[in-house]
């Protein structure tokens, strides 16, 4: 379910999604996939971005339901021994990813 803040912020995208019958269309000649509505109009970039963000959130929630919360703290000594980890780097901020 969409929370009130998200519903207000993405009102146009949510209305676009709810007001059309969207289908995934695969073209084997060009090996491309598009999302089109009932009249063949392709989904807007802003609506597609909203769907992508919601799918990512959904995947993360499902993974947490199945595997538990993702570790965001350093490993303790017991976990290192249990998993056979000899060395690792804890990345604390997304900015750190750019250096690799």
């Amino acid at each position: 379910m969409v929370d009130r803040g998200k519903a207000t912020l993405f009102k146009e995208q949510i209305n676009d999604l709810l007001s059309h019958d969207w289908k995934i269309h695969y073209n084997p000649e060009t090996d491309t996939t598009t999302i089109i509505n009932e009249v063949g109009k392709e989904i807007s970039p802003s609506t597609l971005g909203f769907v992508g963000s919601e799918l990512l959130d959904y995947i993360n929630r499902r993974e947490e339901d199945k595997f538990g919360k993702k570790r965001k703290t350093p490993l303790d000594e017991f976990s290192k021994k249990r998993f056979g980890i000899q060395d690792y780097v804890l990345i604390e901020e997304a900015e750190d990813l750019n250096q690799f």
Side-chain angles (χ1 to χ4, degrees), residues 89-100:
V89 175
L90 177 66
I91 300 174
E92 295 183 14
E93 295 184 22
E95 296 171 3
D96 293 339
L97 293 174
N98 294 330
Q99 61 182 314
F100 294 108

Side-chain angles (χ1 to χ4, degrees), residues 50-85:
F50 173 74
V51 170
S53 173
E54 290 303 301
L55 283 173
L56 184 59
D57 288 348
Y58 177 69
I59 290 167
N60 287 334
R61 283 193 313 271
R62 293 286 306 262
E63 285 178 349
E64 283 185 1
D65 289 345
K66 187 170 184 174
F67 303 114
K69 295 232 182 240
K70 292 182 180 178
R71 179 180 293 275
K72 296 179 183 175
T73 59
L75 293 173
D76 57 30
E77 290 302 316
F78 176 74
S79 295
K80 287 185 209 176
K81 289 178 183 176
R82 184 172 49 145
F83 294 120
I85 298 172

Side-chain angles (χ1 to χ4, degrees), residues 1-96:
M1 178 135 182
V2 177
D3 65 50
R4 296 255 184 245
K6 196 177 287 188
T8 303
L9 188 59
F10 295 104
K11 184 177 182 178
E12 183 179 321
Q13 288 76 23
I14 292 170
N15 286 337
D16 190 24
L17 288 170
L18 296 175
S19 64
H20 295 286
D21 183 21
W22 297 100
K23 296 180 183 177
I24 297 173
H25 179 261
Y26 174 71
N27 184 344
E29 294 174 4
T30 59
D31 198 29
T32 57
T33 304
T34 55
I35 300 174
I36 57 173
N37 64 17
E38 62 280 353
V39 294
K41 183 179 176 191
E42 194 170 342
I43 193 168
S44 73
S46 61
T47 302
L48 182 59
F50 173 74
V51 170
S53 173
E54 290 303 301
L55 283 173
L56 184 59
D57 288 348
Y58 177 69
I59 290 167
N60 287 334
R61 283 193 313 271
R62 293 286 306 262
E63 285 178 349
E64 283 185 1
D65 289 345
K66 187 170 184 174
F67 303 114
K69 295 232 182 240
K70 292 182 180 178
R71 179 180 293 275
K72 296 179 183 175
T73 59
L75 293 173
D76 57 30
E77 290 302 316
F78 176 74
S79 295
K80 287 185 209 176
K81 289 178 183 176
R82 184 172 49 145
F83 294 120
I85 298 172
Q86 295 178 1
D87 194 19
Y88 75 100
V89 175
L90 177 66
I91 300 174
E92 295 183 14
E93 295 184 22
E95 296 171 3
D96 293 339

